Amino acid sequence: MSAVPTAVPAVQARDLSLGYAGEAILEGVDLEVAPGEILVVLGHSGCGKSTLLRAVVGLVRPLSGELLAGGRPVRGTAAERTLVFQEDALLPWRSARRNVELGLALQGVSRAERGRRATDWLERVGLGRYADRLPGQLSGGMRQRVQLARALATEPSVICMDEPFGALDAQTRASMQRLLIDAWQASRCTVVFVTHDVDEAIRLGDRIVVLGREGVVSEHRVEHPRDTDRPPGPDFRAELIASLGRTQSLAPIQEGTHVA
């Protein structure tokens, strides 16, 4: 009887070390992300979460170890992997529609197809009527919706999200979390989502890993992912908080290092 084939991980790190100017800030990371999974990376500021995302999308080269996407070594940026930042990364002189079209234009997609996809995704994120507005005419939550639409319009296999809702008020943040879940269900891409908020991690994740500078400290599967009527109990939350506490004894990153 033949063996059942195993799906190739969407992202895989093997004894991965990352840093800048040859100095490691994150070491010994062993991690697998399944295709179509929402993996939440939880950790304190300065533990290397953002650097890990930047490595996945090809903006940071490993110091040592292996980093694979779809079973292939990550050698640089690629259209199938995209990054959504916390800070506003929209071009202020381009309308919402033209911001969404930008990634598609870089991929060489035809003008007609760019317009179709941009219009479709702006409608999906509830901004169809604002397609011709400039970023300065939109609220913070609306700008984040445009960024999400821009990322999804390129039809990536992996979306990395670096605390994208951290600067939003509580009500807008909850709305964006729901929108992300809906968009993920529509696209079924793989999502690697970074946060330092335990409740956000529980709400969004299929699985949560707690990251420290020495690598993955612990891993937690969410029993009822994204089900607000049956959230994991207080013991689960307490376990996550305890895992975070185990990372606090590490020496802080030197001020000025660009990681989070």
Side-chain angles (χ1 to χ4, degrees):
M1 184 175 180
S2 60
V4 177
T6 302
V8 175
V11 177
Q12 186 174 25
R14 299 171 178 164
D15 196 25
L16 181 69
S17 293
L18 300 169
Y20 299 93
E23 183 177 353
I25 60 170
L26 182 62
E27 300 182 272
V29 178
D30 290 299
L31 180 67
E32 287 191 7
V33 188
E37 178 181 29
I38 297 182
L39 178 80
V40 176
V41 180
L42 187 65
H44 291 290
S45 295
C47 74
K49 304 186 302 297
S50 292
T51 300
L52 178 61
L53 289 193
R54 285 169 169 78
V56 171
V57 299
L59 296 175
V60 173
R61 294 181 63 86
L63 297 178
S64 62
E66 286 188 298
L67 181 59
L68 310 174
R72 299 184 299 275
V74 175
R75 304 296 189 196
T77 59
E80 63 265 21
R81 289 173 275 112
T82 191
L83 178 60
V84 177
F85 297 92
Q86 176 180 346
E87 59 269 21
D88 188 345
L90 301 178
L91 299 180
W93 59 88
R94 296 176 71 106
S95 67
R97 180 186 289 108
R98 293 190 65 226
N99 264 288
V100 175
E101 290 181 3
L102 182 60
L104 298 169
L106 294 174
Q107 291 180 5
V109 176
S110 71
R111 179 174 295 183
E113 179 64 9
R114 294 200 305 261
R116 186 195 68 78
R117 287 201 216 173
T119 298
D120 177 51
W121 274 107
L122 285 171
E123 289 286 351
R124 292 194 196 193
V125 301
L127 291 178
R129 59 188 289 196
Y130 300 98
D132 295 322
R133 298 280 184 92
L134 295 173
Q137 298 171 309
L138 303 175
S139 69
M142 294 167 81
R143 289 194 296 271
Q144 283 291 30
R145 290 186 186 199
V146 176
Q147 291 203 101
L148 181 58
R150 181 170 66 183
L152 290 166
T154 61
E155 300 179 351
S157 57
V158 179
I159 294 183
C160 295
M161 307 188 75
D162 191 2
E163 301 194 55
F165 312 143
L168 304 177
D169 63 82
Q171 184 175 355
T172 305
R173 186 171 189 165
S175 174
M176 287 300 301
Q177 290 168 350
R178 182 70 256 173
L179 179 63
L180 172 61
I181 293 167
D182 291 344
W184 169 80
Q185 289 173 334
S187 66
R188 288 296 174 175
C189 62
T190 303
V191 177
V192 184
F193 189 101
V194 154
T195 185
H196 60 266
D197 185 289
V198 170
D199 293 319
E200 183 168 65
I202 292 172
R203 183 174 188 192
L204 294 177
D206 292 307
R207 192 160 50 96
I208 302 167
V209 295
V210 176
L211 191 69
R213 287 190 64 195
E214 75 279 25
V216 175
V217 175
S218 61
E219 179 181 328
H220 313 261
R221 183 163 296 280
V222 184
E223 292 296 328
H224 304 294
R226 297 171 295 279
D227 187 343
T228 56
D229 295 324
R230 298 168 59 196
D235 290 346
F236 183 85
R237 189 176 188 277
E239 184 180 347
L240 285 177
I241 293 172
S243 292
L244 277 171
R246 290 199 293 272
T247 71
Q248 289 183 312
S249 61
L250 298 170
I253 302 292
Q254 289 186 351
E255 187 175 353
T257 303
H258 299 293
V259 296

